[in-house]
Amino acid sequence: ELTNTISLEDFCSNWKTKKPHFTLKRKLIEKIATISRTMHGRGMCHRDYYICHFLLHEHSTAAGVLEGEPQLYLIDLHRSLIKNKLSKRWVLKDIAGLYFSALNIGLSRNDLLRFVKIYSGTPLREALSTRNDFWSAVEKKAHQLDRRLNQSR
């Protein structure tokens, strides 16, 4: 049981109107990008990868803890797929789902580029030039998911 936690979806729900502390937001983006890169690099795909499946320990939101790492937990791993090497399709699905779930929380372009850089593990210019097709496909799929959700409302 994970107690004293809040889902990132709930934690970030008011970020559009009430900007979070820059350092906390940056550290959360870095942590999620690192978790994502590690998970995919080791052949694991979540298959239901949204910000609501990240739980943030409440002490991480206190101003005094900004010097440390936010304590994040990834939950709902029961549908995960584990392979020796994931195909691009599975990684794209995960990252697009994550992006889709964060579309409306008020992230800036710099926030998104920070994620790309850390997830890629390369300088940003290299990440965008060598994997531009992948990142374009992520953006396209995330917006398709958003349109589909809005049509069903």
Side-chain angles (χ1 to χ4, degrees):
E1 177 182 8
L2 294 171
T3 59
N4 302 320
T5 60
I6 183 172
S7 80
L8 276 187
E9 181 177 48
D10 292 337
F11 181 71
C12 303
S13 65
N14 66 348
W15 279 12
K16 264 190 161 174
T17 56
K18 186 179 179 204
K19 298 262 186 239
H21 190 284
F22 173 79
T23 304
L24 179 60
K25 182 174 72 164
R26 180 180 51 80
K27 286 186 177 197
L28 286 171
I29 291 167
E30 290 171 357
K31 186 87 165 180
I32 292 169
T34 301
I35 289 169
S36 302
R37 181 181 70 225
T38 302
M39 182 176 72
H40 292 147
R42 294 186 179 162
M44 182 178 159
C45 172
H46 192 280
R47 294 176 54 180
D48 200 20
Y49 206 46
Y50 305 110
I51 62 172
C52 64
H53 290 134
F54 282 93
L55 299 183
L56 177 65
H57 197 279
E58 289 175 352
H59 81 74
S60 296
T61 65
V65 183
L66 292 175
E67 298 302 318
E69 288 296 311
Q71 199 170 346
L72 269 181
Y73 304 97
L74 179 58
I75 61 168
D76 288 344
L77 298 168
H78 60 280
R79 293 187 58 224
S80 295
L81 174 71
I82 301 173
K83 295 185 164 256
N84 287 335
K85 184 163 176 22
L86 288 175
S87 69
K88 178 182 169 184
R89 169 183 169 245
W90 291 112
V91 175
L92 173 63
K93 182 184 183 309
D94 264 7
I95 299 298
L98 186 65
Y99 182 31
F100 155 74
S101 67
L103 274 176
N104 297 308
I105 64 170
L107 295 177
S108 69
R109 178 148 176 80
N110 284 343
D111 295 330
L112 300 173
L113 293 174
R114 178 174 287 112
F115 178 91
V116 168
K117 178 182 182 226
I118 293 165
Y119 180 85
S120 299
T122 61
L124 184 59
R125 185 180 309 269
E126 183 181 333
L128 294 175
S129 65
T130 60
R131 304 224 32 226
N132 188 53
D133 291 348
F134 173 78
W135 295 112
S136 294
V138 164
E139 184 173 33
K140 180 180 177 184
K141 187 167 182 68
H143 287 287
Q144 286 173 338
L145 290 168
D146 192 48
R147 279 192 298 278
R148 197 175 313 147
L149 175 70
N150 289 327
Q151 287 174 353
S152 68
R153 287 184 180 170

